[in-house]
């Protein structure tokens, strides 16, 4: 059973370009979470999605960032017009159920390290 | 607001020595508490978790943690550290859909 997969593992973008980060949850998991880790800091929650729905985006910056989890395919975190401050590690986690079903287990992927030059 | 504090940024211990990593949380209700470990360039791996019941919880790799409500703490311990334990450790509290993580403690292990 493959774990949570993220690609690319490393991504370099110039300022002003777009970054697309992909996350494939574990098989059978329909809940996806995105976190950002800045250097020397812990992970900060960004967004929680179920298939075709955004459940909680309270941690997402209001501009330039968006996320989706389509019915088919991976979840995508999209950052438009990247700036140097977006350089960070972005982690995806998945779970088989949501908190409303009593699930508190989140399985983390290896992360995508974004560098903005 | 929920918050997690890990007061030690770096800790160095000798192989075979005991280890305690500190974690304090701020949370209004009974917390759901977790410890994760992150090796360089890797994602997070769950070591152990506390929801309720026995305040001393056992985890993988010989780790344990004790929940102390009076001190708002959830310290991680291991009686004898192995070189392979060198990594970064994160304490987290879970609240309604998301984890709140501490800033982490980097553990170095001396031979």
């Amino acid at each position: 059973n493959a774990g949570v997969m993220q690609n690319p593992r490393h991504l370099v973008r110039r300022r002003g370009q777009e970054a697309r980060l992909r996350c494939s949850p574990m098989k059978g998991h329909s809940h996806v979470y995105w976190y950002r880790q800045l250097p020397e800091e812990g992970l900060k929650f960004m967004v929680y999605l179920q298939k075709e729905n955004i459940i909680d985006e309270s941690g997402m910056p209001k501009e330039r960032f968006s996320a989706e989890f389509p019915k088919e395919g991976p979840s995508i975190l999209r950052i438009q017009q990247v700036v140097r401050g977006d350089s960070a590690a972005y982690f995806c986690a998945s779970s088989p159920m949501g908190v409303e079903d009593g699930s508190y287990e989140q399985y983390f992927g290896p992360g995508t390290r974004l560098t903005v030059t | 607001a929920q918050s997690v504090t890990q007061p030690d940024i770096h800790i160095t211990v000798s192989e075979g020595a005991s280890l305690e990593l500190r974690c304090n949380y701020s949370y209004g209700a009974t917390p759901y508490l977790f410890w994760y470990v992150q090796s360089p360039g890797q994602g997070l791996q769950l070591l152990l978790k506390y929801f309720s019941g026995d305040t001393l919880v056992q985890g993988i790799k010989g780790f344990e943690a004790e929940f102390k409500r009076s001190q708002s703490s959830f310290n991680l311990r291991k009686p004898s550290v192995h070189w392979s334990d060198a990594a970064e450790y994160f304490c987290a509290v879970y609240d309604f859909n998301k984890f709140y993580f501490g800033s982490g403690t980097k553990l170095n292990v001396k031979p």
Side-chain angles (χ1 to χ4, degrees), chain B residues 24-52:
Chain B
N24 294 95
Y25 65 89
S26 172
Y27 189 73
T30 300
Y32 297 140
L33 295 161
F34 300 75
W35 274 99
Y36 282 87
V37 61
Q38 183 181 32
S39 297
Q42 301 298 314
L44 276 69
Q45 180 183 21
L46 178 66
L47 284 176
L48 48 78
K49 60 193 177 194
Y50 171 78
F51 289 170
S52 64

Side-chain angles (χ1 to χ4, degrees), chain A residues 40, chain B residues 6-13 21 87-88 104-108:
Chain A
E40 307 300 321
Chain B
Q6 293 180 247
D8 304 306
I9 298 174
H10 289 96
I11 283 185
T12 298
V13 299
L21 302 182
E88 188 159 19
T105 298
K106 288 183 180 174
L107 173 65
N108 294 318

Side-chain angles (χ1 to χ4, degrees), chain A residues 18-58:
Chain A
E18 179 180 287
R20 280 182 177 244
L21 288 62
R22 286 178 289 278
C23 169
S24 296
M26 289 179 69
K27 188 176 181 180
H29 288 195
S30 57
H31 300 254
V32 164
Y33 311 78
W34 285 94
Y35 293 82
R36 176 166 61 177
Q37 184 180 30
L38 294 170
E40 307 300 321
E41 293 187 15
L43 281 70
K44 297 285 194 296
F45 169 80
M46 299 181 75
V47 62
Y48 163 38
L49 310 106
Q50 293 179 26
K51 288 279 188 180
E52 300 184 281
N53 283 308
I54 297 174
I55 307 302
D56 182 348
E57 55 182 347
S58 58

Side-chain angles (χ1 to χ4, degrees), chain A residues 23-25 51 68-76:
Chain A
C23 169
S24 296
K51 288 279 188 180
E68 62 177 9
F69 188 18
K71 187 176 180 181
E72 300 292 337
S75 175
I76 306 288

